Amino acid sequence: MTLFVEEGETLGEFAAEHGAVAHSRSESRDDPLSVLDEEDRIFANEDLLRIDHVPDQNKIVGRNNQIETVARRLKPTISGGTGKGTLLLGKSGSGKTLVTRYVSREVVDRGEENDVRIGRAVIDCAQRRSEVQTVIHLAKRLNEPDETGVTIPHSGIATGAYYDRLWQVIDALYDAIIVVLDEIDRLAPPDDVQNVPPEEADDSKLLMQLSRAGEENDVDASITVIGISNDLKYGDRLDTRVESSFSPDEIVFPAYDANQLGDILTRRRDAYREDVLTDDVIPLCSAFSAQEHGDARRAIDLFRLAGEVARDDDAERVREEHVRVANDDAEVTRIQDLIRGCPTQAKIAIGALATMDEFSERSAFKATEMYRVYRAFAEAIDTNVLGKKRITDQLREYETLKIIDMKRTSDGYREGTYLQLSLLDDSALILQTIGLD
């Protein structure tokens, strides 16, 4: 099969030909710092469109049942008791983290009214990637070293010692703790990693420690754990001992439809100045995002990006064309965000896989096939060529980010098993993104 874009053409040239663009379009100014003194003609309060912004309940759409259920699970903590372990399951952008942040914030406030000290920690497991890193971050988030006298080093002590310091912090400062483990499935071993007993997986060990801390007399304070996962079958993977101690209820969050996404954006339109938005902006943002599995994060982000495009164009209003440009840019930006900081060697391998996908009739490839193309690419840009195992190990990082799917498969008894790779994102988009590098 032909694997080259065109003879002599680089991925950067491919990116430009296929519409990949730099985000800012404004013309250069004689005084580039003059923008600091100008009034923003588009946005009134851009913070309302931040992904981590937690709105009031009247701005949370279509999740009343889920809010009530999570509130019931956390209600005992208001009086210092232990809430019910819970797993929130659903696709990305379906409101799981938003609802949890909102309800847990309200519970902490109610606890203060009852003179109950409730600690709350929301941990992104995708950024921690191991049991010990998650425990370190949890202890740091809850600790007040001036009050506890406890220090949490970045490294250098055993995992058990980190747990001991976490228990000290909790008992010194709190009557009850709410621990939210966002994307808890990122601590589970990949599907193709063999011979890892369920009880040895990082997520199982973490949940076991947290859910049994009171039973084992590690802490006097109560600990309630909420796990959040995009994997609807995550609960089925838990070790039986974890199921017994954690014993979670599962709450499934359905995807938003276009009307609900429109309602979400309408309730945040006060992020913009009055009369800045044309009538077609919100429906178009909602329609694009509904196509992406009803992702509210995507809708809000696109809504904000459209305003930024209009501002960069020095436009007086945000119009349909600004949404369409923002949508094109958002696709590239999304991948850029995912692979930001990605080692050059991994980018070469991802680029090799994307090239195979783009310029052949197949969508899945053996790791040995990908490696041959990777090696050709690496040699072409005069960089070191890593071994096949090191390259596939680097690619596992991007399997958890849902860019690549890796699974062990077989063509039959005589052929044996092999590692099969396929892209979960559009190959041209991947090539544009890596080409922009």
Side-chain angles (χ1 to χ4, degrees), residues 31-87:
D31 178 9
L33 290 181
S34 64
V35 68
L36 299 177
D37 301 318
E38 295 175 357
E39 181 181 52
D40 193 325
R41 294 184 298 176
I42 298 295
F43 292 103
N45 185 3
E46 196 171 352
D47 283 350
L48 296 178
L49 301 179
R50 291 198 332 265
I51 296 302
D52 60 351
H53 172 71
V54 180
D56 296 329
Q57 185 180 350
N58 64 356
K59 294 186 186 299
I60 300 177
V61 173
R63 293 296 180 257
N64 280 354
N65 290 339
Q66 287 81 3
I67 289 173
E68 180 179 340
T69 304
V70 174
R72 287 184 184 278
R73 302 296 183 273
L74 293 180
K75 184 177 179 180
T77 62
I78 294 176
S79 56
T82 303
K84 185 74 172 68
T86 306
L87 283 177

Side-chain angles (χ1 to χ4, degrees), residues 345-397:
Q345 294 285 353
K347 286 181 182 177
I348 297 171
I350 294 171
L353 184 60
T355 303
M356 297 168 75
D357 183 278
E358 179 74 6
F359 300 103
S360 76
E361 300 299 321
R362 296 160 55 196
S363 60
F365 306 90
K366 294 180 179 180
T368 51
E369 295 175 310
M370 178 280 299
Y371 182 72
R372 285 198 294 270
V373 180
Y374 152 79
R375 187 171 56 198
F377 279 17
E379 290 172 349
I381 64 173
D382 196 26
T383 192
N384 292 333
V385 177
L386 300 184
K388 177 186 165 187
K389 184 179 185 305
R390 288 186 63 189
I391 284 298
T392 53
D393 285 346
Q394 286 199 15
L395 290 181
R396 292 192 194 284
E397 169 88 8

